[in-house]
Amino acid sequence: MVLSYLHMQNFALIDNLSLELFPGMNVFTGETGAGKSILIGAINLILGERASSEQIRSGSEQALIEAVFIVDDKYDPLHTIMDEYGLTISEELIISREISRSGRNTCRVNGRIVPLGTLKELGNVLVDLHGQHSHQSLLKPEKHFLLLDEYGGDELLTEKKRLAELFANWERVRQKLKSLGISREERARQLELLRYQSDEINKAELNPGEEETLSQRLLLLNNMEKLLSMANRAYAEIYGGEAAASSSVFDRITAVKEEMSSLLKIDDKLEPFISILEEIASTLAELGHDLYNYLDNLTFFPEEVEEIESRLEVYRRLKKKYGMTVEEVLSFAEKCSEEIAELESSEEAALLLEKEMNNLWQEIEQCASILTEKRKQTAGILTKMVEGVLGELGMENAQFSVKFAEREVASRHGKEEIEFLFSANPGEPLKPLARIISAGEMARVMLALKSILAEQDHIPTLIFDEIDSGIGGKTIQKVAEKMSRLSKNHQVICVTHSPQLAGAADHQFYIFKEITGGRTTTCVSYLQGEKRVREIARMLNGGVTSEITRKHAEELLKMYKIAKEQEAWRQEQE
């Protein structure tokens, strides 16, 4: 995957410029002040950096930057971001950005308007820009984790994968435990409450009809005197008794019936009346008998009222707590029993899940400890490698280190946070890469890391600005060799004043200024053949071309051509 095309319109000193870029190593050379930094500024805008109206060409209201990347179907980080934003992707990825003097910015990806943040996210996986710029993935500690682990090889990555799988299993069990709804403590509290409520209702032995029966009995007992008085008076009036002051209704009816019976021979029409009186007398006798039995049953014990009131209080108390009716209270007790059964079952399941979680966490701790040791071993090897390459790049006294900061709790990534540290001079403390001030130092540190981690770092396009700052001789020769090798795995774009870097490149562009119609314009020309020889000759002699510098330029190009052929042959043999 490469940056294949860059178009700039009304940007800084550029009027309308299109560049075709290539795989391998691309260098931009030219006189100081020709506008090489403009190219870097344009790419920065494509990567989502802040824009300024001062970047718009004088006399224009807006500027346009467009970049085309050739897409690799296997580059998952890009596809992940595109899918996240619902963006379509084909063989090309086209990113454009318009900036206007009004302050309005329009960002597009494959023709669709997107937020500036989308360009930043895409830029993070498409381009690494090294120099006096913030867009560098290696400045981010989270990237250090990935690079160190991949540099550690299959053994370390296998352990890392195992840790991730253990953590995923632990998380799965934790979610299962969470799905049970409550913690062990809360489950115990609920069980205690439910058992208390269930026992309270069950011990009461409620009966749906008992409360009404007891209420009626209590009403009767509370009105016993009235009932006795009424029943005794009714019995005396209807049936009489030895203590009756006058004859009873039964006696009077019987007397009338007997008198009529004695006159029946005189008038047989009295027969129906006698029959009726006999029925009345019989009914009164039966009524009297029933009243007698009723009176006989109107008995109670003094403690009975207290017992009934106590029992009814149980009903009132339970209905107040658990339901409006006895049926609702009994239904509540049934639900309690069901919930108790569920909680007891879930408690057993929770205990098993908690045990499984504890066992998994022990495995996680062990695996994380093994991973830490492997990372420290890898960090030691990487440190020596980086310091060795930095020495080759003219930084013999530089120090590099991998800082391990232990986490309080292990994560799916391990038990530590990792960050690369650097110091350029003896006696100076090691600092995070983001605090390197010198652009030349920054570029060389990044080149050292990139050259060592070339196969592990998957960002396709690397841009180096001012990597040759303050170095020369054998050091710049080493820089050129490292960048040439790096271009086998990445597209490399370099802005340089170094003839060695220009000679090592696969493609060279010349940046220059033209004055047309009283206006200065930055232009770019692709150099081949004699034009390239002359430009490298100019660079060799500080701007002056001679036959000697021209021959040196030819020899330099020839030397790098042979070196590349030998490197290609060596790789084929491997």
Side-chain angles (χ1 to χ4, degrees):
M1 182 165 181
V2 295
L3 171 60
S4 66
Y5 177 82
L6 185 65
H7 175 70
M8 294 160 280
Q9 184 177 328
N10 298 326
F11 183 70
L13 295 178
I14 293 174
D15 183 23
N16 196 328
L17 177 64
S18 296
L19 288 176
E20 183 181 2
L21 298 164
F22 305 93
M25 184 173 173
N26 301 258
V27 297
F28 287 82
T29 63
E31 299 282 357
T32 300
K36 295 186 289 296
S37 61
I38 295 174
L39 173 69
I40 302 299
I43 294 175
N44 260 325
L45 291 183
I46 289 296
L47 301 180
E49 295 298 325
R50 288 188 174 276
S52 169
S53 59
E54 295 178 359
Q55 294 172 300
I56 301 172
R57 183 168 172 78
S58 175
S60 300
E61 290 301 314
Q62 64 181 25
L64 171 66
I65 312 294
E66 289 181 309
V68 178
F69 293 85
I70 303 299
V71 174
D72 182 353
D73 290 337
K74 297 179 181 179
Y75 190 41
D76 292 336
L78 173 62
H79 290 277
T80 299
I81 296 173
M82 296 292 281
D83 290 343
E84 181 181 343
Y85 286 97
L87 298 169
T88 57
I89 189 168
S90 57
E91 295 180 355
E92 292 182 341
L93 173 66
I94 303 173
I95 300 176
S96 67
R97 187 169 178 186
E98 295 176 8
I99 57 175
S100 64
R101 293 197 182 278
S102 64
R104 182 183 177 187
N105 272 256
T106 304
C107 305
R108 289 185 173 86
V109 175
N110 285 350
R112 178 175 162 185
I113 295 177
V114 297
L116 181 61
T118 305
L119 296 196
K120 277 186 173 291
E121 288 192 47
L122 288 170
N124 287 335
V125 300
L126 292 173
V127 177
D128 249 355
L129 204 161
H130 305 295
Q132 293 178 325
H133 309 278
S134 60
H135 191 89
Q136 303 180 50
S137 66
L138 282 176
L139 297 184
K140 302 167 186 174
E142 58 268 24
K143 180 74 171 178
H144 302 172
F145 242 130
L146 301 175
L147 292 174
L148 182 67
D149 288 347
E150 291 194 17
Y151 185 68
D154 292 341
E155 188 176 348
L156 193 153
L157 290 174
T158 299
E159 201 65 36
K160 181 180 180 180
K161 182 180 178 182
R162 179 170 171 265
L163 176 63
E165 290 172 350
L166 285 170
F167 210 91
N169 289 336
W170 181 86
E171 183 63 28
R172 175 182 53 78
V173 176
R174 190 180 74 86
Q175 288 299 326
K176 275 189 178 181
L177 183 60
K178 187 178 179 181
S179 69
L180 295 179
I182 53 176
S183 65
R184 179 195 294 182
E185 293 77 11
E186 180 62 24
R187 186 182 298 104
R189 284 194 292 270
Q190 286 196 20
L191 276 171
E192 183 179 5
L193 175 61
L194 288 168
R195 284 168 180 157
Y196 170 80
Q197 292 171 331
S198 178
D199 289 346
E200 185 179 28
I201 296 171
N202 291 332
K203 286 178 181 178
E205 297 181 346
L206 303 183
N207 188 301
E210 182 186 18
E211 184 182 23
E212 185 176 355
T213 301
L214 290 174
S215 296
Q216 288 297 322
R217 178 63 178 167
L218 183 62
L219 180 64
L220 185 148
L221 293 174
N222 287 334
N223 293 276
M224 183 62 73
E225 290 185 7
K226 292 180 181 180
L227 292 171
L228 285 170
S229 175
M230 176 277 301
N232 278 317
R233 184 167 57 82
Y235 182 79
E237 291 289 340
I238 293 170
Y239 206 71
E242 295 179 359
S246 59
S247 60
S248 66
V249 174
F250 177 80
D251 290 339
R252 292 198 294 273
I253 292 296
T254 301
V256 172
K257 184 200 71 164
E258 289 177 352
E259 186 178 355
M260 282 187 178
S261 296
S262 65
L263 298 173
L264 184 60
K265 293 179 180 181
I266 298 172
D267 188 358
D268 59 2
K269 292 180 180 178
L270 294 174
E271 180 69 31
F273 301 125
I274 293 170
S275 296
I276 292 171
L277 288 171
E278 285 178 348
E279 288 179 9
I280 292 172
S282 175
T283 300
L284 288 172
E286 187 177 345
L287 178 59
H289 179 72
D290 290 342
L291 282 170
Y292 181 84
N293 289 334
Y294 177 74
L295 282 166
D296 192 47
N297 289 326
L298 285 177
T299 58
F300 73 99
F301 302 100
E303 63 272 14
E304 186 179 3
V305 172
E306 185 178 346
E307 289 176 357
I308 291 175
E309 287 181 340
S310 177
R311 181 62 175 166
L312 287 174
E313 177 59 28
V314 170
Y315 276 89
R316 283 192 292 271
R317 177 168 51 82
L318 294 179
K319 286 198 295 182
K320 185 177 180 180
K321 292 172 69 174
Y322 304 121
M324 298 294 292
T325 65
V326 175
E327 287 77 8
E328 289 181 4
V329 174
L330 293 173
S331 176
F332 184 89
E334 187 176 346
K335 289 179 181 177
C336 283
S337 298
E338 292 174 357
E339 288 186 34
I340 288 170
E342 289 178 5
L343 285 171
E344 286 176 341
S345 175
S346 68
E347 183 178 28
E348 184 178 349
L351 289 172
L352 291 173
L353 290 172
E354 286 173 359
K355 183 178 180 181
E356 187 177 357
M357 278 183 66
N358 290 334
N359 291 338
L360 282 169
W361 192 257
Q362 289 179 6
E363 289 189 62
I364 286 171
E365 290 283 352
Q366 292 173 359
C367 184
S369 296
I370 294 171
L371 185 59
T372 298
E373 288 305 312
K374 291 186 180 299
R375 280 174 172 160
K376 287 182 177 179
Q377 292 171 10
T378 301
I381 297 170
L382 179 63
T383 296
K384 291 180 180 178
M385 291 289 292
V386 172
E387 289 182 346
V389 174
L390 287 173
E392 294 176 3
L393 299 179
M395 303 178 74
E396 295 83 358
N397 296 318
Q399 291 178 283
F400 178 84
S401 177
V402 181
K403 177 185 176 183
F404 284 75
E406 187 174 353
R407 295 169 55 95
E408 291 185 8
V409 180
S411 73
R412 65 178 65 253
H413 303 296
K415 297 174 69 173
E416 59 278 327
E417 300 289 346
I418 289 174
E419 185 171 13
F420 294 165
L421 304 179
F422 171 79
S423 173
N425 303 300
E428 291 295 321
L430 289 158
K431 298 177 182 178
L433 299 184
R435 294 175 62 184
I436 300 176
I437 298 174
S438 165
E441 287 179 358
M442 174 67 78
R444 277 180 279 171
V445 170
M446 295 305 166
L447 176 59
L449 286 167
K450 291 287 185 180
S451 63
I452 294 168
L453 303 172
E455 294 182 2
Q456 287 76 34
D457 188 3
H458 303 295
I459 294 179
T461 299
L462 309 178
I463 300 176
F464 291 90
D465 185 22
E466 298 186 21
I467 194 169
D468 53 331
S469 176
I471 57 175
K474 292 183 179 180
T475 300
I476 197 65
Q477 181 77 24
K478 285 291 183 182
V479 170
E481 291 174 4
K482 297 291 183 188
M483 292 187 70
S484 180
R485 288 177 188 160
L486 193 58
S487 68
K488 304 303 178 186
N489 299 94
H490 304 266
Q491 179 189 36
V492 174
I493 298 172
C494 178
V495 175
T496 184
H497 292 284
S498 166
Q500 286 84 358
L501 292 181
D506 300 300
H507 307 278
Q508 184 173 352
F509 299 84
Y510 178 59
I511 301 178
F512 59 98
K513 288 180 180 178
E514 280 186 348
I515 300 176
T516 305
R519 297 201 71 185
T520 302
T521 302
T522 293
C523 304
V524 178
S525 174
Y526 182 72
L527 300 181
Q528 297 183 85
E530 182 62 24
K531 289 183 179 180
R532 187 177 183 190
V533 172
R534 288 179 181 177
E535 169 59 6
I536 293 176
R538 180 195 66 78
M539 297 171 72
L540 283 166
N541 200 29
V544 179
T545 303
S546 67
E547 188 60 30
I548 295 175
T549 56
R550 187 183 173 284
K551 286 184 178 180
H552 285 172
E554 287 180 336
E555 290 173 2
L556 189 65
L557 287 168
K558 184 178 180 181
M559 178 187 72
Y560 280 115
K561 181 181 179 182
I562 293 171
K564 288 177 184 178
E565 290 173 350
Q566 290 176 343
E567 179 68 17
W569 180 84
R570 184 183 63 81
Q571 289 183 352
E572 286 179 4
Q573 297 305 308
E574 292 178 352

